[in-house]
Amino acid sequence: MRLLLAALIFLGSVAPASSQRVGGATRVQPVAGTAMVWGQVRSEQTGAPLRFAVVEMIGAGLEPISASTDISGVYVLRDVPPGRRLIRAMHIDHAPNEVQILVAADKQHVVDFDLEFRPLRLSPVTADGIRGLPGTRDTVPARDSELGPANVRVLESTPGVAELGLSESARDVPGHEPIDPADVLYVRGGAADLKLVMLNGAPVYAPFHIGGLIQALDASVLRSATLYAGGAPARYDGGLSYVMDLETRSGRSPATHAELGVDMLAARAIGEGPIGPDVSYLIAARTVHGNGTAFFMDEAFPYGYGDAVARVDIAAAPAHVFTVTGFRNHERVTLDTVGAQRESASWGNQAGSLRYRGAIGLSEVLATVSTGRFRTLLPLGGIRPLVTEGTADRSRAAFDMERPFAGGRLFVGGSFDRIEFEHRAYPQGGSRDSTVAASTADGNIAGLYVEAAYTLLPRLRVRAGMRADHFSAVSGLWFAPRVSATVLLTDRASLTLSGGRYRQYVRAPAESLVFLGAAPDSGSGPVLNLAAATHVVLGLSQDFDDGIRLGLEGFFKEFEGLQTSSTQRTAASGLDLWLRRHAGDVTGWLGYSLAWVWAVEAQSIRPAQAFSGRHLVSAGLAGPIIAGTVFDVRINYGAGLPYTAIPEPEIASPVFGVSARPSVPVLTESSDVVPLDTEPHEPYLRIDAQVSRTFDGAFGDLAFDWMPYLKVINALNRRDAIFYHYNRDVGQAQPLAHLPIVPIVGMEMKF
């Protein structure tokens, strides 16, 4: 090899036609009266050639000449003036070596170097990962796999009539007790609203639709969906069961973009772009119309849903951003699809927030002003049919600050909430001015918190804080400690133990509606109870190769003051598992949640009949097939989920009179409710599949992508209904409407 290298270098130096690019200029080699020095640089430890080693030559009256070695460790120094010279070889992880040589004119000199291995010593670098305040302008949407844990919890979503307790109120209306099983619509979902869901800082009572015909979470407009099954930081108040913090992404500002999609069942649209140099917007809307189901269903489509979200970001300065967000959704189900009258139960949210995010010195500041309204309507029959209406309003102002402190991070802030509940009943076809029954309740919550996060040991990080709240309906100051400790088991695995205390208002279910014997404003409202929960959560998180991440959490929760049974205390335990893959051609997620709930009386556990359990599964898989075609399969399964019984409007309902009541009694919850054996027991199963392909298109100067797709709803003919109705002929509840296997053809376009 040495002879071959020498021959090549010699030929290159003596050939008169050869030339070399040096500093952008071309000149002929060699220069008369100079010499060439070349050789090889190797590692003394292994004998292997060292690539990218630097060899330089210095001497009296000589500008330094340098060269780097190639893949074979060979260097070449040309045009070296004669004389005594010092030549030195250096490499980043080897000790330098140097030697003096006498350079003769018009000669070639071969100098090899063997360098001693010496690992490079660097100062330690510590990277701490913490979850601080929400980001500002982030245009990247979340992946479906990142929303896996949140998708599981969506299966627990409750219908609006259960959120405000109108189903219990309806049972107490004169003429509706005891309830005939045939007059009941069963809706999947529990009767207690124990979750806290925030959308860009705004409280949203029922943000998820329960029909399951489109994605519950629209990943194309979400930046994140952070789920705290327990151990939420001190900045969150409430959320006895869990806390979910939803953040939308901001609109892309360099240019205007749009997405349109429509099929036989639903439609969606997204628009985003700039409004001037420092303002961007994002508007998205979805609807479930069901117009294409007429080809597959004999009866009218009994369900409807729609939602819309809008966001505007204003960059007042490089580190100061204002964000305005608005959200609205509406859901309905037809209660009497086989009767002469067509009445619907409906519910929906309106929410909005104004947020400021900025940096003041070393502190990051987030200020939020938000409001949310939840409204639901439930029609009741009789000779004088009524409409029961419930509203819940929540206004919120919050201030959060995060800054470095004593080698860690310090979080401080506070919030003030105003909550108002209202129930009304008025004749169908009338207005709220003709109210015959009403009740109201309201309360304030003022809270402060302080929290700190420190790395106590190289692989141990602790986060601890305290929240203090004052509830206007209850005297005193209530403290809620929060603590979390994370141990880094390996560079890719961590173990977290967290716990905390949580409190929130809950509506007293036994005092719902007050029927008025005089003026509508003479009613007194229900009492707001202060409920509490204690959480302990142990979680494991691990990253694997190929973009796979595993999360596992086990939890125990104890609740007080819910008054959902004769006992004042209930407990729950279970586990949450999620596995997601976000890299590679095939991506997907798997989420599983298993929980048990039981009643606690004094210091003992009730008999086994007070014990109930449920488990939830959400999974998705997407990837290529052939010729640019991709597939997408989604599965949702739930068993043991509770049901809410809603009275249906019936023409033959018993007659009742309102004005004949001599006093203003408070209606109490009837103990003679629908027998349990009429309640549906089938598990909830939803399997949908989609095949699509994306094509490029252009219309003049407008370039776009268009994607035709074929979607199969109820792919295995096993979809369980959300709504059930009691059938006297078979003596059990049956689905309100059967949705057969439905092939849906649709198309999406992106501009």
Side-chain angles (χ1 to χ4, degrees), residues 209 212-215 260-269 285-293 301 303-307 690 709 711 713 742-748:
H209 64 285
L213 300 179
I214 58 177
Q215 296 181 36
L260 299 174
V262 62
D263 58 40
M264 303 161 58
L265 188 67
R268 60 186 290 268
R286 304 184 300 170
T287 181
V288 177
H289 52 74
N291 295 329
T293 61
F301 192 69
Y303 174 78
Y305 176 79
D307 63 23
Q690 175 178 303
Y709 62 85
K711 182 188 298 184
I713 298 291
V742 180
I744 297 176
V745 179
M747 185 178 68
E748 290 188 0

Side-chain angles (χ1 to χ4, degrees), residues 169 241-242 277 420 695:
S169 301
S241 179
Y242 64 86
E420 299 178 0
F695 299 90

Side-chain angles (χ1 to χ4, degrees), residues 414-502:
S415 61
F416 178 82
D417 292 76
R418 171 69 177 174
I419 301 177
E420 299 178 0
F421 295 95
E422 182 180 12
H423 289 182
R424 288 182 178 268
Y426 50 86
Q428 291 188 25
S431 64
R432 304 182 72 199
D433 295 335
S434 56
T435 297
V436 296
S439 63
T440 59
D442 58 75
N444 299 330
I445 309 172
L448 298 172
Y449 74 89
V450 59
E451 196 167 34
Y454 290 95
T455 302
L456 297 183
L457 298 174
R459 289 182 173 265
L460 173 63
R461 187 168 186 84
V462 176
R463 181 167 183 159
M466 178 68 71
R467 184 177 185 91
D469 293 288
H470 172 71
F471 297 85
S472 61
V474 185
S475 61
L477 196 62
W478 299 84
F479 294 94
R482 313 283 173 87
V483 64
S484 174
T486 300
V487 179
L488 192 63
L489 303 177
T490 68
D491 291 342
R492 291 190 171 189
S494 63
L495 186 68
T496 301
L497 177 64
S498 59
R501 184 76 167 167
Y502 304 83

Side-chain angles (χ1 to χ4, degrees), residues 299-319:
E299 64 272 11
F301 192 69
Y303 174 78
Y305 176 79
D307 63 23
V309 61
R311 170 171 171 164
V312 176
D313 291 277
I314 305 171

Side-chain angles (χ1 to χ4, degrees), residues 613-740:
R614 65 103 179 102
H615 57 131
L616 310 168
V617 178
S618 176
L621 190 66
I625 305 177
I626 55 173
T629 305
V630 297
F631 73 92
D632 188 343
V633 178
R634 300 170 185 268
I635 301 175
N636 286 280
Y637 173 83
L641 301 180
Y643 288 83
T644 299
I646 302 176
E648 284 202 75
E650 293 290 341
I651 298 299
S653 298
V655 180
F656 65 92
V658 175
S659 59
R661 301 183 66 86
S663 60
V664 188
V666 176
L667 298 178
T668 59
E669 184 176 3
S670 173
S671 59
D672 198 354
V673 190
V674 182
L676 292 179
D677 57 2
T678 65
E679 186 173 299
H681 299 288
E682 292 85 352
Y684 171 74
L685 178 62
R686 183 162 66 92
I687 303 178
D688 302 329
Q690 175 178 303
V691 177
S692 62
R693 183 176 179 181
T694 301
F695 299 90
D696 297 330
F699 184 77
D701 295 333
L702 178 63
F704 59 89
D705 296 333
W706 62 283
M707 183 187 74
Y709 62 85
L710 174 63
K711 182 188 298 184
V712 180
I713 298 291
N714 195 18
L716 299 181
N717 200 24
R718 292 283 306 279
R719 178 191 295 276
D720 178 60
I722 300 295
F723 308 100
Y724 282 81
H725 191 278
Y726 184 72
N727 189 323
R728 290 184 182 275
D729 296 333
V730 297
Q732 64 182 8
Q734 291 186 330
L736 175 69
H738 292 277
L739 187 63

